């Protein structure tokens, strides 16, 4: 397995291009099941999650090819409606296969998704929505058996105790576009990945109103046709570079990201005293050299609030920001696996319920650390870049799920980072 070795202390400077968004691709790939015609998807990042989603679509009978870098073609001509446990359990986002199978096949058998290190990942809101439009759902042997022969459009409230649900909204959208009648989704998620999915569905012939709002109206149609769709850029990848520039005191141009995708982060950076300008429609210029960040408080919320997927990265920055900061996680209250690893690097953080109380230090020291999930891994990379000395990060397969060539991109910005085989780790460091 690979590991990352980082020699801290370099300042990040230069220009970095943002890749396509993993979290836009997964529902977009699922939506290809809604038509028997070919669908071309462009700007797809080269990630293990994407390759895995392709495998799941193939297991359903779709023809899936990656005929050029970033470009995939899916033709779901003759498909089955059973998604097997051995595949679904490996990636919970595959739950968003339910919607298109309900729409196209009027039913499905999908394994219940497994757990996740960032906390419980229930799908009660997905199932509540499907039942509301008339699906009969039974759970047997770990599979959800859905019969949607009598489904028809109606009013669905999708909000839960943590606010809206992103993949829940995607799932109901993909069911409703081919369900007779009119469906209204209230308290729908409006993360940028949802309008992106709506745009693709409309190109396929779907009838959707309220795109970008918390209230979506869908008029079911009989069938959908193929299209070509270019997925949006990855706002979480972009935000990771913004935070990296601030942490290392460098000036970084982040290309290919509209500033309105990161309004909450930009606001926090400016409160911290780090200027983030947008010289044009899809570029951010972070002037980390202007000053060290000041401590700030962060609360994660559904979009347009501060994204939970940048919470770990923000903790890394605030661990190196002298003064008291409080980071409160409202979406996944247990999402603090990065904290014990940051503490190994000298971070002074105490967890109090859903909050991390951070007493920022002047320095962190490099150390061997363990990645635990996608965004926690990114936080450890950032901490390693800004720490004194050498950091080794194991289990970086977590990182490869959601960041395309992150080590290469940081190296292009001047970081001293390399990907090595685990056998190169100093004796005694390798996890047993
Ligand atoms: C999406 O997950 C993203 N994943 C997550 O990114 C992201 O953290 C999350 O949205 C929140 O923005 C993908 O898009 C593939 P939710 P999703 O349904 O859709 C609760 C990453 O690192 N909830 O919006 O699964 C849920 O427990 C990943 O890229 C219910 O209670 O998240 C959570 O507390 C991690 N019942 C909150 O709502 C449900 O039926 C938001 O979940 C569904 C969700």
């Amino acid at each position: 397995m690979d590991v990352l070795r980082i020699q801290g202390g370099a300042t990040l400077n230069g220009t970095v291009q943002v890749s396509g968004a993993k979290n836009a691709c997964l529902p977009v790939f699922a939506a290809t099941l809604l038509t028997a015609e070919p669908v071309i998807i462009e700007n797809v990042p080269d990630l293990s999650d994407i390759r895995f989603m392709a495998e799941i679509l193939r297991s359903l009978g779709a023809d899936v090819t990656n005929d050029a870098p970033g470009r995939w073609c899916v033709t779901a001509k003759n498909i089955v409606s059973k998604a097997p446990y051995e595949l679904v359990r490996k990636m919970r986002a595959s739950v968003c296969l339910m919607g298109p199978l309900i729409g196209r096949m009027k039913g499905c058998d999908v394994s219940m998704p497994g757990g996740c290190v960032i906390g419980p990942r229930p799908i009660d809101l997905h199932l509540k929505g499907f039942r509301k439009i008339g699906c009969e759902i039974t759970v047997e042997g770990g599979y959800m058996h859905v019969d949607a022969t009598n489904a028809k459009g109606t009013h669905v409230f999708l909000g839960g105790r943590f606010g809206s649900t992103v993949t829940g909204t995607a799932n109901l959208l993909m069911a409703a576009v081919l369900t007779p009648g009119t469906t209204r989704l209230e308290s729908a998620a409006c993360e940028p990945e949802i309008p992106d999915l709506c745009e693709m569905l409309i190109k396929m012939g779907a009838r959707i109103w309220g795109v970008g709002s918390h209230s979506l109206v869908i008029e079911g149609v009989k069938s959908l046709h193929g299209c070509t769709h270019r997925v949006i850029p990855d706002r979480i990848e972009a935000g990771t570079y913004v935070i990296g520039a601030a942490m290392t005191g460098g000036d970084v141009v982040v290309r290919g990201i509209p500033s309105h995708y990161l309004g909450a982060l930009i606001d926090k950076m400016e409160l911290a005293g780090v200027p983030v300008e947008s010289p044009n429609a899809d570029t951010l210029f972070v002037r980390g050299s202007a000053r060290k960040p000041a401590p700030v408080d962060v609360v994660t919320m559904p979009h347009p609030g501060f994204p939970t997927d940048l919470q770990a990265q923000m903790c890394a920055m605030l661990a190196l920001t002298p003064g008291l900061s409080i980071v409160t996680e409202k979406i996944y209250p247990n999402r603090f696996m990065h904290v014990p690893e940051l503490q190994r690097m000298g971070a002074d953080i105490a967890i109090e319920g859903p909050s991390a109380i951070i007493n920022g230090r002047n320095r962190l020291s490099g150390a061997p650390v363990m990645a635990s999930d996608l965004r926690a891994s990114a936080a450890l990379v950032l901490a390693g870049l800004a720490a004194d000395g050498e950091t080794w990060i194991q289990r970086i397969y977590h990182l490869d799920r959601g960041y395309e060539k992150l080590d290469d991109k940081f190296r292009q910005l001047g970081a001293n980072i390399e990907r090595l085989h685990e056998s190169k780790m100093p004796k005694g460091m390798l996890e047993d």
Side-chain angles (χ1 to χ4, degrees):
M1 258 195 276
D2 288 348
V3 295
L4 284 180
R5 188 199 68 79
I6 304 171
Q7 186 61 38
T11 300
L12 299 180
N13 282 293
T15 298
V16 64
Q17 178 68 40
V18 178
S19 300
K22 164 185 81 92
N23 289 350
C25 287
L26 297 174
V28 158
F29 269 66
T32 62
L33 295 171
L34 287 164
T35 177
E37 296 183 11
V39 177
I40 309 282
I41 310 167
E42 297 176 332
N43 196 33
V44 179
D46 178 20
L47 301 172
S48 53
D49 267 15
I50 302 295
R51 293 190 290 275
F52 190 71
M53 190 58 153
E55 272 320 297
I56 295 180
L57 294 181
R58 290 189 184 104
S59 75
L60 293 171
D63 176 60
V64 186
T65 54
N66 175 201
D67 54 5
R71 182 185 143 101
W72 290 74
C73 178
V74 183
T75 308
K77 204 171 174 66
N78 305 302
I79 56 172
V80 297
S81 58
K82 177 161 187 171
Y85 171 68
E86 60 273 14
L87 290 177
V88 171
R89 71 181 175 82
K90 292 180 190 159
M91 185 176 70
R92 69 168 309 285
S94 35
V95 72
C96 62
L97 295 166
M98 294 180 76
L101 290 174
I102 287 168
R104 172 97 182 274
M105 309 293 281
K106 304 307 169 206
C108 62
D109 283 289
V110 175
S111 165
M112 289 290 278
C116 175
V117 288
I118 67 176
R121 304 291 293 273
I123 58 168
D124 57 305
L125 298 173
H126 300 234
L127 302 183
K128 171 187 159 194
F130 291 142
R131 287 189 169 108
K132 196 76 186 334
I133 63 171
C135 295
E136 287 175 30
I137 303 175
T138 51
V139 178
E140 189 68 38
Y143 277 80
M144 294 173 284
H145 175 75
V146 184
D147 176 354
T149 42
N150 302 318
K152 62 179 182 304
T154 185
H155 179 266
V156 181
F157 184 77
L158 265 183
R161 52 199 284 260
F162 297 98
S164 47
T165 162
V166 178
T167 38
T169 303
N171 244 341
L172 266 294
L173 261 172
M174 293 188 283
V177 291
L178 287 180
T179 295
T182 301
T183 300
R184 175 188 294 278
L185 302 180
E186 290 300 340
S187 190
C190 57
E191 272 67 5
E193 292 75 30
I194 296 299
D196 188 48
L197 175 64
C198 290
E199 188 189 309
M200 173 193 178
L201 294 171
I202 290 168
K203 276 192 272 190
M204 293 170 75
R207 294 172 61 76
I208 305 172
W209 292 269
V211 176
S213 78
H214 289 293
S215 180
L216 296 170
V217 177
I218 305 103
E219 195 177 292
V221 294
K222 287 221 176 317
S223 65
L224 295 175
H225 49 74
C227 76
T228 295
H229 184 68
R230 181 179 177 79
V231 297
I232 57 171
D234 194 319
R235 59 200 168 97
I236 304 305
E237 181 196 3
T240 304
Y241 301 130
V242 170
I243 295 169
M247 286 178 75
T248 62
D251 296 338
V252 172
V253 175
V254 184
R255 276 207 199 294
I257 187 74
S259 59
H260 68 271
Y261 279 13
L262 286 171
L265 174 66
I266 293 169
D267 174 57
K268 278 301 161 198
M269 283 299 167
E270 290 181 350
L271 279 174
V274 178
V276 181
E277 296 144 18
S278 44
N280 60 48
D282 65 352
T283 302
L284 295 179
F285 177 39
V286 194
R287 285 200 300 116
S289 62
R291 53 157 292 173
K292 263 183 81 65
V296 288
D297 293 341
V298 176
V299 180
T300 65
M301 304 288 278
H303 191 78
F306 193 93
T308 174
D309 293 348
L310 284 175
Q311 179 259 108
Q313 299 91 316
M314 208 60 187
C315 283
M317 186 185 94
L318 296 171
L320 253 182
T321 301
L324 188 66
S325 299
I326 300 176
V327 175
T328 301
E329 175 54 68
K330 291 267 194 185
I331 307 294
Y332 300 108
N334 302 320
R335 192 177 195 173
F336 290 115
M337 291 71 54
H338 44 287
V339 169
E341 298 303 311
L342 291 172
Q343 287 166 336
R344 286 178 49 73
M345 300 174 75
D348 181 355
I349 304 177
I351 300 297
E352 290 292 333
S355 296
I357 317 296
I358 304 174
N359 178 21
R361 316 286 297 274
N362 275 311
R363 59 182 295 278
L364 292 178
S365 59
V369 292
M370 209 69 89
S372 57
D373 77 280
L374 172 52
R375 308 306 173 181
S377 321
L380 297 179
V381 173
L382 293 177
L385 294 176
D388 298 341
E390 192 172 73
T391 295
W392 290 83
I393 305 178
Q394 298 182 61
R395 299 184 187 166
I396 58 167
Y397 50 84
H398 291 292
L399 205 58
D400 295 337
R401 287 192 48 211
Y403 286 94
E404 185 181 41
K405 304 188 179 71
L406 189 69
D407 44 319
D408 292 346
K409 292 187 177 184
F410 273 133
R411 197 164 35 253
Q412 284 161 20
L413 291 173
N416 182 340
I417 180 173
E418 54 184 336
R419 179 183 286 255
L420 301 167
H421 185 266
E422 61 185 9
S423 60
K424 301 283 189 213
M425 284 191 77
K427 286 269 168 288
M429 260 192 206
L430 188 57
E431 64 166 333
D432 43 30

